[in-house]
Amino acid sequence: MDAALVDFSGAKPLLIDFIYLPFSAEIKAHIDQVSDATARITLKDYGSLDHKLGLLFAEAVIALLAKSKYPATAIKAIGSHGQTVHHGMTESAPFTLQIGDPNIIAELTNITTIADFRRRDIAAQGQGAPLVPAFHQAVFRHAHIERCIVNIGGIANITILPSNPNNNSLGFDTGPGNVLLDQWIHRCLGLPYDEHGNWAKTGVIDYDLVAQLKQDAYFTSPPPKSTGKEYFCLDWLTQQIDSTRYKPEDLQASLCYLTAVTICDAIKKHAPIAEQVLICGGGVHNQLLMELLEQNLACSIASSEAYGIHPDHVEAMAFAWLARQTLNGLPGNLKQVTGASREVILGAIYQKC
């Protein structure tokens, strides 16, 4: 869980404090169970997780306020993204679900809470994602430099920021970010993630394998588009290849290259004149992934930290910004990014009492 305390009183958002709290193994397993589209779960399984996450998110806010020494009365609102348990845009009835009961958050913190940001965009015929490009545009757009922001979480997405304010910003999910890397190392070594890409560094990239995986239609489909861990997962991988034919570390190296090359392909095709690429999200800590991005792009690449915001803080700050947009009656989506018919006010407001 990431929680950011953000001050919006100045010209640019200012991070006051930040806290990261890991999920317990029990909660992770419960999330995996409810997120598994093939699992048999009950309403009780879902409701129990929704309740537990609401409590945990409230605890994260309370811990952040204690750390920063700010009282709850000083906080205008909480923007809670919630835990995504499903994001399916190719289904006959497009559906996304982020849980962590905001009623509990508002009640335990006594702070107005905004949640459920994605479904209004979907109601307006959008993909419900990515939403962070609107924040990227607000904080990273430069008057004289063509920029591309790359956010590498479980899924990777890019935001294209033209220097000309008359040109629309664009953005979309490029495909897998860390999700396949995390799932493969967990299956093989029981670890939650490949720290610094160290395990992948021991392997050899199989370029033919990567070329085969890149044949998936998602990579060449035009934006607007979004995807999720429901699609790019180990089931997807084993449908494409026989994983037993490869050394586990070689497959890890190849999956790292798949993430890098699909990001780079998207930038080359949709942002060919980009002068700067700023990286944020957890993927910035994977040294091999960063090296592969640098090898496959001609423009300069840097962490978003070099431009004012630590890469681990961007996402949490983005949802604080989106909550502020909602409270101010302003839209939070970019219709050209999500494919929505119009820009809309996102989220539901749970007032403090």
Side-chain angles (χ1 to χ4, degrees), residues 291-342:
E291 290 170 10
L292 293 171
L293 290 170
E294 290 175 354
Q295 291 169 14
N296 285 275
L297 288 173
C299 55
S300 69
I301 298 176
S303 161
S304 61
E305 188 170 17
Y307 297 89
I309 304 180
H310 191 282
D312 292 339
H313 302 162
V314 174
E315 188 102 358
M317 290 180 70
F319 279 88
W321 182 86
L322 284 167
R324 179 172 175 265
Q325 291 291 101
T326 302
L327 284 183
N328 290 339
L330 298 172
N333 63 333
L334 296 177
K335 64 179 183 179
Q336 68 273 15
V337 169
T338 66
S341 59
R342 64 192 184 102

Side-chain angles (χ1 to χ4, degrees), residues 230-285:
E230 301 77 22
Y231 187 80
F232 286 109
C233 58
L234 288 189
D235 285 344
W236 173 84
L237 181 65
T238 54
Q239 288 169 10
Q240 314 296 317
I241 62 167
D242 178 2
S243 60
T244 62
R245 293 178 48 219
Y246 303 92
K247 291 182 178 179
E249 63 271 25
D250 290 351
L251 189 48
Q252 184 76 353
S254 301
L255 292 174
C256 192
Y257 185 72
L258 175 69
T259 290
V261 76
T262 49
I263 291 170
C264 293
D265 286 350
I267 293 172
K268 290 173 183 177
K269 182 173 182 179
H270 297 280
I273 61 172
E275 301 168 77
Q276 292 179 343
V277 172
L278 279 56
I279 313 292
C280 58
V284 75
H285 303 297

